[in-house]
mmCIF file of all heavy atoms in Angstrom:
data_model
loop_
_atom_site.group_PDB
_atom_site.id
_atom_site.type_symbol
_atom_site.label_atom_id
_atom_site.label_comp_id
_atom_site.label_asym_id
_atom_site.label_seq_id
_atom_site.Cartn_x
_atom_site.Cartn_y
_atom_site.Cartn_z
ATOM 1 N N SER A 101 10.768 46.022 22.970
ATOM 2 C CA SER A 101 11.756 46.714 22.139
ATOM 3 C C SER A 101 12.184 48.029 22.786
ATOM 4 O O SER A 101 13.346 48.412 22.696
ATOM 5 C CB SER A 101 11.235 46.930 20.726
ATOM 6 O OG SER A 101 10.097 47.733 20.715
ATOM 7 N N LYS A 102 11.279 48.696 23.479
ATOM 8 C CA LYS A 102 11.653 49.917 24.214
ATOM 9 C C LYS A 102 12.630 49.570 25.321
ATOM 10 O O LYS A 102 13.638 50.255 25.531
ATOM 11 C CB LYS A 102 10.388 50.572 24.792
ATOM 12 C CG LYS A 102 10.611 51.609 25.873
ATOM 13 C CD LYS A 102 10.836 52.989 25.339
ATOM 14 C CE LYS A 102 11.089 53.963 26.462
ATOM 15 N NZ LYS A 102 10.309 55.138 26.423
ATOM 16 N N MET A 103 12.355 48.472 26.018
ATOM 17 C CA MET A 103 13.242 48.044 27.087
ATOM 18 C C MET A 103 14.629 47.724 26.531
ATOM 19 O O MET A 103 15.643 48.084 27.116
ATOM 20 C CB MET A 103 12.649 46.817 27.785
ATOM 21 C CG MET A 103 13.434 46.320 28.955
ATOM 22 S SD MET A 103 12.602 44.998 29.850
ATOM 23 C CE MET A 103 12.400 43.768 28.577
ATOM 24 N N SER A 104 14.677 47.076 25.384
ATOM 25 C CA SER A 104 15.962 46.715 24.780
ATOM 26 C C SER A 104 16.737 47.937 24.318
ATOM 27 O O SER A 104 17.954 48.007 24.479
ATOM 28 C CB SER A 104 15.738 45.776 23.591
ATOM 29 O OG SER A 104 15.127 44.601 24.004
ATOM 30 N N THR A 105 16.048 48.894 23.727
ATOM 31 C CA THR A 105 16.745 50.069 23.194
ATOM 32 C C THR A 105 17.197 51.023 24.290
ATOM 33 O O THR A 105 18.220 51.684 24.139
ATOM 34 C CB THR A 105 15.866 50.833 22.187
ATOM 35 O OG1 THR A 105 14.625 51.156 22.811
ATOM 36 C CG2 THR A 105 15.616 50.019 20.948
ATOM 37 N N THR A 106 16.461 51.126 25.368
ATOM 38 C CA THR A 106 16.829 52.070 26.427
ATOM 39 C C THR A 106 17.685 51.441 27.520
ATOM 40 O O THR A 106 18.108 52.146 28.439
ATOM 41 C CB THR A 106 15.573 52.694 27.067
ATOM 42 O OG1 THR A 106 14.758 51.656 27.585
ATOM 43 C CG2 THR A 106 14.807 53.522 26.065
ATOM 44 N N SER A 107 17.951 50.153 27.439
ATOM 45 C CA SER A 107 18.742 49.499 28.487
ATOM 46 C C SER A 107 20.164 50.042 28.562
ATOM 47 O O SER A 107 20.782 50.013 29.632
ATOM 48 C CB SER A 107 18.763 47.993 28.273
ATOM 49 O OG SER A 107 19.402 47.661 27.056
ATOM 50 N N THR A 108 20.681 50.552 27.444
ATOM 51 C CA THR A 108 22.043 51.096 27.468
ATOM 52 C C THR A 108 22.135 52.359 28.321
ATOM 53 O O THR A 108 23.171 52.611 28.927
ATOM 54 C CB THR A 108 22.532 51.406 26.044
ATOM 55 O OG1 THR A 108 21.615 52.302 25.421
ATOM 56 C CG2 THR A 108 22.639 50.139 25.216
ATOM 57 N N GLU A 109 21.068 53.132 28.385
ATOM 58 C CA GLU A 109 21.063 54.351 29.200
ATOM 59 C C GLU A 109 21.173 54.042 30.684
ATOM 60 O O GLU A 109 21.673 54.852 31.468
ATOM 61 C CB GLU A 109 19.786 55.149 28.959
ATOM 62 C CG GLU A 109 19.633 55.651 27.543
ATOM 63 C CD GLU A 109 18.277 56.283 27.308
ATOM 64 O OE1 GLU A 109 17.635 56.713 28.296
ATOM 65 O OE2 GLU A 109 17.864 56.347 26.140
ATOM 66 N N TYR A 110 20.688 52.881 31.086
ATOM 67 C CA TYR A 110 20.679 52.498 32.497
ATOM 68 C C TYR A 110 21.742 51.449 32.827
ATOM 69 O O TYR A 110 21.747 50.891 33.927
ATOM 70 C CB TYR A 110 19.288 51.981 32.881
ATOM 71 C CG TYR A 110 18.214 53.010 32.655
ATOM 72 C CD1 TYR A 110 17.380 52.945 31.546
ATOM 73 C CD2 TYR A 110 18.053 54.073 33.547
ATOM 74 C CE1 TYR A 110 16.402 53.904 31.325
ATOM 75 C CE2 TYR A 110 17.074 55.032 33.343
ATOM 76 C CZ TYR A 110 16.256 54.938 32.227
ATOM 77 O OH TYR A 110 15.292 55.887 32.014
ATOM 78 N N ASN A 111 22.637 51.180 31.866
ATOM 79 C CA ASN A 111 23.721 50.217 32.047
ATOM 80 C C ASN A 111 23.222 48.855 32.528
ATOM 81 O O ASN A 111 23.768 48.261 33.453
ATOM 82 C CB ASN A 111 24.783 50.751 33.010
ATOM 83 C CG ASN A 111 25.454 51.981 32.469
ATOM 84 O OD1 ASN A 111 25.734 52.073 31.266
ATOM 85 N ND2 ASN A 111 25.723 52.957 33.331
ATOM 86 N N CYS A 112 22.150 48.370 31.895
ATOM 87 C CA CYS A 112 21.607 47.068 32.299
ATOM 88 C C CYS A 112 21.325 46.185 31.065
ATOM 89 O O CYS A 112 20.457 45.339 31.119
ATOM 90 C CB CYS A 112 20.358 47.242 33.132
ATOM 91 S SG CYS A 112 19.011 48.080 32.279
ATOM 92 N N SER A 113 22.094 46.364 30.010
ATOM 93 C CA SER A 113 21.872 45.595 28.783
ATOM 94 C C SER A 113 22.068 44.103 28.994
ATOM 95 O O SER A 113 21.322 43.288 28.446
ATOM 96 C CB SER A 113 22.797 46.070 27.673
ATOM 97 O OG SER A 113 22.508 47.399 27.344
ATOM 98 N N ASN A 114 23.068 43.718 29.788
ATOM 99 C CA ASN A 114 23.297 42.298 30.037
ATOM 100 C C ASN A 114 22.103 41.666 30.728
ATOM 101 O O ASN A 114 21.707 40.533 30.413
ATOM 102 C CB ASN A 114 24.558 42.086 30.860
ATOM 103 C CG ASN A 114 25.809 42.390 30.088
ATOM 104 O OD1 ASN A 114 25.803 42.355 28.854
ATOM 105 N ND2 ASN A 114 26.888 42.712 30.784
ATOM 106 N N GLU A 115 21.527 42.363 31.688
ATOM 107 C CA GLU A 115 20.375 41.821 32.418
ATOM 108 C C GLU A 115 19.154 41.721 31.509
ATOM 109 O O GLU A 115 18.360 40.797 31.637
ATOM 110 C CB GLU A 115 20.053 42.684 33.642
ATOM 111 C CG GLU A 115 21.072 42.614 34.748
ATOM 112 C CD GLU A 115 22.296 43.502 34.524
ATOM 113 O OE1 GLU A 115 22.362 44.220 33.519
ATOM 114 O OE2 GLU A 115 23.188 43.455 35.383
ATOM 115 N N ILE A 116 18.990 42.659 30.606
ATOM 116 C CA ILE A 116 17.838 42.655 29.705
ATOM 117 C C ILE A 116 17.941 41.523 28.699
ATOM 118 O O ILE A 116 16.991 40.820 28.418
ATOM 119 C CB ILE A 116 17.714 44.010 28.961
ATOM 120 C CG1 ILE A 116 17.471 45.135 29.945
ATOM 121 C CG2 ILE A 116 16.630 43.967 27.904
ATOM 122 C CD1 ILE A 116 16.243 44.994 30.793
ATOM 123 N N LEU A 117 19.149 41.346 28.159
ATOM 124 C CA LEU A 117 19.346 40.297 27.157
ATOM 125 C C LEU A 117 19.383 38.945 27.809
ATOM 126 O O LEU A 117 18.986 37.962 27.305
ATOM 127 C CB LEU A 117 20.611 40.551 26.336
ATOM 128 C CG LEU A 117 20.584 41.858 25.544
ATOM 129 C CD1 LEU A 117 21.932 42.071 24.870
ATOM 130 C CD2 LEU A 117 19.486 41.854 24.518
#
Side-chain angles (χ1 to χ4, degrees):
S101 62
K102 164 87 182 230
M103 183 174 59
S104 299
T105 55
T106 58
S107 63
T108 57
E109 297 173 22
Y110 301 102
N111 297 321
C112 61
S113 296
N114 290 337
E115 290 81 2
I116 297 301
L117 298 175

